[in-house]
Amino acid sequence: MIIKPSIRSNFFTNSHPLGCRQNVYNQVLEAKSFQNFEGPKNVLIIGGSSGYGLASRIALAFGANSNTLNVSFESAPKAKKTGSSGWWNNIYFQEFAKETKNLHKDFVGDAFSQEMKDNVIDYAKKHMGKFDLVIYSLASGGRLNYATNEIIKSHIKTIGEEAKGKTIDILDLEVKELVVTSATEQEVKDTVYVMGGSDWHDWIDTLDQNDLLNPGAKTISYTYVGGPTTEKIYRGGTVGKAKEDLERHAVLMNEMMKNKYDGEALISSSKAVATKASVYIPSMTNYISCLYDVMDRYGVHESILKHKYRLFRDMIYGNKRIVDSQKRIRLDHLEMDEKIQYETVHMMHTISNEDLLNLKGTKMFLKDIYQINGFEFDNINYEEDVDIDALSELHPE
Ligand code: NAD
């Protein structure tokens, strides 16, 4: 099969296995180029197949010699379908992680289900032991309510007035207007159900009840705070409500983790990066493009891997934590620096559509979007036939 990017409404419907391999390999090489650090022995990552979860997994497996257990939701290749990027990322993570000689396990399925929690518990009891760190890095458009058998969807909407903003059409390479309508009360509730903290809390309670947390155990999830340009649609919108809920659950869990394990439940605000969701949020694509441009110019742009490596080495297991008044770890302090914010916002408001498309930051953003799906790596011949069946024999089980 010859695999070219297939993009529908700014969404990649396919992935290139060898490009996904390259994406994982580049992150592994980057992790190996940094100094090792003392970190957790056993790590559970919920949502560890792509984005921030995968970067966390690679940082800990190669930087701290950790064992890792990943839970992620993927589509396997089937007939003419290539399979999701996370499917291939899991396979290639396993390939590269062999050299660590540690235990790395993947569970593919629904993290929201009790069945998945039971599978992880069973495996940990038999093969891995108790966890020292649980990372909750899940991003999902929906969650099945197992009690009612209803699929609840999350929404990217405002609360109150609708919001307009620009977005970059990644297929046509055009700047377009995007309008986001205001959510109903039910849509806010649904988004909180999917993207809030209740499932994270369930995971921690289940591990606690099964005596699977070590003394000193930590758990962490990732939020986004951002500034005034993204306020209306992000923090002030449905996703912001879900993040408030996530942060509230961290406070509740922290009490239990501290009292029972001398541990912690943490929230880290991470930098805005290119992901599948960013193209749907008005102003987010041009915000990230301008941000990348400004941060690159000041020499503070970080890759997704470096960002997470710094989180664990310096802030979670090191002594360089930056914490705000709500006790959130501010890994995003470079993005939120006054000078960086001022220049980013100024650029967003003054740049023409044409100049935006030609900006170095936009090219970096677009490259990231393509590369997380396995495309646009210079050393991969995209005209070459890919034997998906042969590659699938490396199934992560
Ligand atoms: P992503 O889409 O790259 O990864 C999401 C992960 O969740 C994948 O591993 C996927 O398989 C898994 N997943 C989704 N549904 C699942 C299910 N039902 N069962 C099991 N696994 C499931 O997302 P990301 O951008 O890395 O986001 C991760 C977290 O980081 C989110 O909480 C997000 O809000 C937060 N965050 C993202 C940014 C950003 O700019 N991307 C910034 C700050 C914080």
Side-chain angles (χ1 to χ4, degrees):
M1 187 193 301
I2 309 271
I3 308 173
K4 295 284 167 78
S6 158
I7 305 166
R8 217 176 295 142
S9 308
N10 261 2
F11 179 79
F12 280 78
T13 61
N14 66 350
S15 68
H16 197 290
L18 300 180
C20 292
R21 182 178 191 273
Q22 190 65 43
N23 184 22
V24 175
Y25 183 60
N26 289 354
Q27 293 192 53
V28 168
L29 281 188
E30 201 181 352
K32 283 162 72 170
S33 74
F34 299 137
Q35 180 126 43
N36 284 15
F37 59 97
E38 278 287 322
K41 191 67 208 140
N42 287 340
V43 184
L44 169 62
I45 305 146
I46 298 144
S49 67
S50 67
Y52 274 142
L54 175 64
S56 303
R57 187 182 202 189
I58 295 174
L60 290 161
F62 290 87
N65 217 17
S66 306
N67 297 312
T68 67
L69 196 164
N70 160 51
V71 177
S72 66
F73 195 84
E74 310 302 339
S75 22
K78 199 172 173 191
K80 286 195 169 145
K81 296 211 166 121
T82 58
S84 59
S85 52
W87 173 269
W88 296 108
N89 291 343
N90 285 347
I91 288 179
Y92 293 119
F93 171 83
Q94 291 291 347
E95 178 189 328
F96 297 122
K98 277 201 182 90
E99 71 170 78
T100 69
K101 308 236 176 341
N102 287 324
L103 188 60
H104 299 288
K105 172 78 179 167
D106 289 289
F107 280 97
V108 172
D110 187 9
F112 293 122
S113 70
Q114 189 54 47
E115 187 190 354
M116 179 57 81
K117 292 177 178 83
D118 292 343
N119 289 342
V120 167
I121 283 159
D122 190 50
Y123 181 84
K125 282 185 175 165
K126 285 188 184 134
H127 306 286
M128 202 164 186
K130 301 183 190 193
F131 294 104
D132 302 289
L133 174 67
V134 180
I135 301 170
Y136 193 83
S137 186
L138 196 136
S140 177
R143 170 177 178 181
L144 175 63
N145 180 337
Y146 284 85
T148 61
N149 225 10
E150 192 190 352
I151 295 175
I152 310 293
K153 289 202 170 135
S154 66
H155 303 267
I156 300 174
K157 290 198 172 187
T158 56
I159 295 174
E161 289 167 22
E162 65 175 32
K164 283 194 187 110
K166 289 178 182 176
T167 194
I168 298 170
D169 185 305
I170 49 180
L171 183 64
D172 300 338
L173 281 185
E174 268 174 19
V175 179
K176 291 186 174 162
E177 281 286 322
L178 196 69
V179 178
V180 169
T181 52
S182 160
T184 62
E185 246 175 66
Q186 190 58 47
E187 286 172 331
V188 177
K189 264 195 195 158
D190 289 353
T191 309
V192 170
Y193 181 71
V194 179
M195 286 294 287
S198 62
D199 183 58
W200 179 23
H201 209 145
D202 283 351
W203 271 99
I204 294 302
D205 281 349
T206 310
L207 294 169
D208 171 41
Q209 284 150 16
N210 283 278
D211 194 22
L212 277 173
L213 295 170
N214 263 326
K218 300 179 195 295
T219 184
I220 189 163
S221 189
Y222 304 140
T223 197
Y224 181 67
V225 175
T229 42
T230 52
E231 174 66 26
K232 203 166 166 189
I233 178 65
Y234 199 91
R235 281 310 292 202
T238 46
V239 186
K241 286 284 170 248
K243 290 301 184 196
E244 276 173 22
D245 185 71
L246 189 82
E247 293 164 21
R248 190 177 59 81
H249 277 280
V251 173
L252 294 173
M253 283 189 283
N254 194 48
E255 271 305 297
M256 187 281 283
M257 295 293 284
K258 208 166 68 186
N259 295 338
K260 195 158 172 187
Y261 297 98
D262 195 20
E264 297 178 288
L266 302 163
I267 285 282
S268 152
S269 181
S270 299
K271 173 191 181 195
V273 290
T275 59
K276 293 163 211 161
S278 33
V279 284
Y280 294 111
I281 306 178
S283 306
M284 204 47 122
T285 44
N286 43 342
Y287 171 72
I288 299 178
S289 298
C290 294
L291 177 74
Y292 274 18
D293 201 79
V294 174
M295 290 185 82
D296 181 62
R297 189 151 30 84
Y298 281 102
V300 290
H301 176 73
E302 286 178 316
S303 69
I304 188 164
L305 185 279
K306 188 174 180 194
H307 197 55
K308 288 294 145 181
Y309 205 97
R310 199 162 60 80
L311 172 69
F312 293 109
R313 184 196 55 202
D314 295 355
M315 299 200 183
I316 306 299
Y317 296 100
N319 56 6
K320 295 186 191 151
R321 254 185 217 187
I322 300 171
V323 178
D324 67 14
S325 59
Q326 293 169 56
K327 300 212 168 91
R328 297 175 298 201
I329 294 175
R330 297 307 297 263
L331 185 67
D332 60 350
H333 65 104
L334 297 172
E335 169 181 349
M336 299 319 294
D337 177 272
E338 225 174 283
K339 177 179 70 211
I340 300 283
Q341 280 297 308
Y342 176 80
E343 290 200 23
T344 302
V345 173
H346 180 73
M347 186 185 272
M348 278 177 77
H349 291 145
T350 52
I351 199 164
S352 68
N353 288 352
E354 197 185 337
D355 287 347
L356 178 66
L357 289 172
N358 289 320
L359 201 65
K360 183 178 177 196
T362 307
K363 295 196 167 128
M364 290 161 72
F365 169 73
L366 289 172
K367 196 164 196 167
D368 276 3
I369 289 272
Y370 275 82
Q371 290 194 340
I372 57 178
N373 295 289
F375 299 101
E376 290 218 1
F377 285 99
D378 294 340
N379 57 338
I380 289 178
N381 180 357
Y382 291 99
E383 303 300 328
E384 213 158 68
D385 194 52
V386 181
D387 187 343
I388 297 258
D389 291 338
L391 294 176
S392 296
E393 279 163 24
L394 289 153
H395 194 289
E397 78 177 313

